[in-house]
Amino acid sequence: MISSKTVILLLLSLSASSAKLGGGTEERKLESNERELRAYTDYANRPTKEVKSFGSNPSQILGHCEGDCDSNNDCGLGLICFQRTKAYQEVPGCNGGKMDDTKSDYCIKPSDLEVSGPPDLRLVTQHPNEGSLGRCEGECDIDDDCEGDLVCYQKNDCVYVPGCRGGEYDYSYTDYCVRKSDVSAGKLALDIGSGYNLQLCQGDCDYNSDCATGLICQQRNANEPVSGCIGGENNLRTDYCVSPNNRGNSRKDVIESSLDGGSTARDLKPYNQEALDWLINADLWVPSADEETPQELWRERYAMTALYFATEGDKWFDPRNYLSVDSVCTWNGNGDEIEVYCDENGRVSGVIGRENGMLGSIPSALQALTMLERIDFSRNNIRNSIPSELGLLTHLTRIDLYENDLTGSIAKELGSLKNLEEIALFGNALTGSLPAELSNWSNLREFSINDNAISGSIPNIGSWSKLKFLELSNNRITGSLPEWGDLSNLASLFLSNNRLTGTISSSIPLSLEHFELRSNNVGGSLPTELGLLSDIHTIDLAYNALQGSLPSEIGQLTWLYELDLRANELSGSLPAELKNIFLTDFDIGVNKLTGDVPPLPTYLTNCSLDNNSFSDTSNAEGICRLN
């Protein structure tokens, strides 16, 4: 618990700080002091953990008060890496730092820093020994005066000292040792004094020539926002180096104008407010000054942030680098299930979130990923419908959304994806019919939408000339079998457990290797053209209304392993050519077959001829089920 002595010292300190600030009523000062004291009291009384180091380069993601971390990426969700400058340094929000004789760095909560605050500036000596000054200690003249990796921050007048407290009220020209990461934050507006080659969001500049290549000096009026940077409004006399892409706009203006799109891109409204707020108020990233298409990068960053919030990223199994300060191209997880791919221009080309505990819904903001080629959010618990805006992503070649909880119908806008090669939507709760516009998928090779509740008829798929795999089983599809058209590459056709009618066309694709039409209401006779399916392995036409005899041409299918014609209305006798087939599984039970059973294939292991009217079954004795 916090001691009464500590409370008194805090009150005295706060009162002194208030006197330095000047202005305001005594009541306002007291109220402010009380609020800050409560914060310090809560911080002092909080439950804390002991620091624990797993050594350098730990293999696991580090939790609260665990180390040794090198960057925020080493820490779990919501934690940051606290970089210690010396041994025995206290770790905010944790116990044991003062007993740790190493320089291990530990993962802490941002709130630990917010409450405990950065170190106060402290003038130690005017003549330091080499490496003797710690963080926020002065007076330094060169970096070598500072301990470890600290650098000497050359301060000018009463300005903010990065990563330290009190610089705004220090009118001396004392220079202090600070962390490199605090100086190079770059996205916060930092007054580092007049100089040459000032970086993005650094000041004080007087001319464009004071800024690094590609930047310009923003000459500000009073508390004008610093274009594309965070903060700086209170430094009334400081001008900053900014990107010409952002000139004249605050960070909020830059982001919102990018999302608006103007005349060059589609408006992304309605916005995901959580994502927008994070980009404006919490994110520190900005495009590089020489970026030729900053608007597109802002839009892509918004889209990826919206994906995180819309699918409840805080509950993902592996959020890893999402919402880091780096480019979205680095927002990867620990394995190939969580990946973000970018092209050579830094544009997002692939987003993978397979089996990651994603919830919520797919945001329409993904339309901003205009160079996207692949989406894989399979095996999650994503709800609601597939946004029609995905139809704007004309570079998409592959979509994997299978085994989720998606509902609603397939939007006709998806028919615009003319480069689509693979789409897997099976194992959801999708309804409605397949839009006629899907016939535009001229490059489609694989389509699986089985195990849903799709109704209506199969659209014209004759133009899918590259199609190899079609899986529509276990839906509520009605109507006749489609016109096959130019499906000369179709190898696997699965249409079982629907409500299809009509007949099997003689123009059936001759490239078939697997043909399943089980449990429908297809009638008519078996076309003799089945004998031309030279590569066929399995035929399953059980539980339909097929009539007529089994054509003798079936004996030409030397690679046929499985033939299931159970529960139809087939009649006549079995053809003698059956013995030529390499059948292992044969079921033609529950039909109206007659005559003698001919010699059967040599390698049969499963055979059923039951519930027919054969006159002689001696060739099937001991091989097939007959009753």
Side-chain angles (χ1 to χ4, degrees), residues 124-284:
V124 176
T125 177
Q126 295 285 355
H127 305 287
N129 295 322
E130 182 176 346
S132 64
L133 296 177
R135 182 184 172 195
C136 301
E137 292 181 346
E139 153 125 87
C140 61
D141 294 309
I142 57 175
D143 292 346
D144 288 345
D145 294 336
C146 302
E147 182 181 51
D149 294 330
L150 297 178
V151 296
C152 184
Y153 178 75
Q154 304 292 329
K155 181 174 171 290
N156 182 21
D157 207 352
C158 53
V159 296
Y160 169 72
V161 176
C164 304
R165 182 166 51 192
E168 298 90 330
Y169 318 116
D170 180 5
Y171 286 85
S172 72
Y173 285 84
T174 302
D175 302 323
Y176 296 91
C177 294
V178 300
R179 297 179 300 192
K180 286 183 180 179
S181 58
D182 290 329
V183 176
S184 61
K187 288 77 183 176
L188 293 170
L190 299 179
D191 185 343
I192 62 174
S194 299
Y196 176 71
N197 199 35
L198 296 172
Q199 302 302 304
L200 184 66
C201 300
Q202 291 183 349
D204 183 17
C205 59
D206 295 311
Y207 308 99
N208 292 345
S209 57
D210 294 335
C211 303
T213 302
L215 301 178
I216 61 174
C217 182
Q218 178 187 350
Q219 302 289 336
R220 298 166 61 242
N221 297 316
N223 60 348
E224 177 186 349
V226 182
S227 302
C229 307
I230 298 175
E233 290 87 348
N234 295 326
N235 291 341
L236 306 185
R237 294 172 291 179
T238 304
D239 301 321
Y240 295 91
C241 294
V242 300
S243 167
N245 297 318
N246 297 337
R247 180 65 184 95
N249 299 299
S250 67
R251 183 181 178 89
K252 180 175 183 293
D253 292 335
V254 170
I255 292 173
E256 290 186 346
S257 65
S258 296
L259 303 188
D260 178 75
S263 60
T264 60
R266 185 183 174 96
D267 189 349
L268 298 182
K269 292 178 182 176
Y271 298 142
N272 179 303
Q273 198 58 47
E274 284 184 290
L276 186 59
D277 289 345
W278 182 85
L279 282 177
I280 294 172
N281 300 314
D283 189 20
L284 296 180

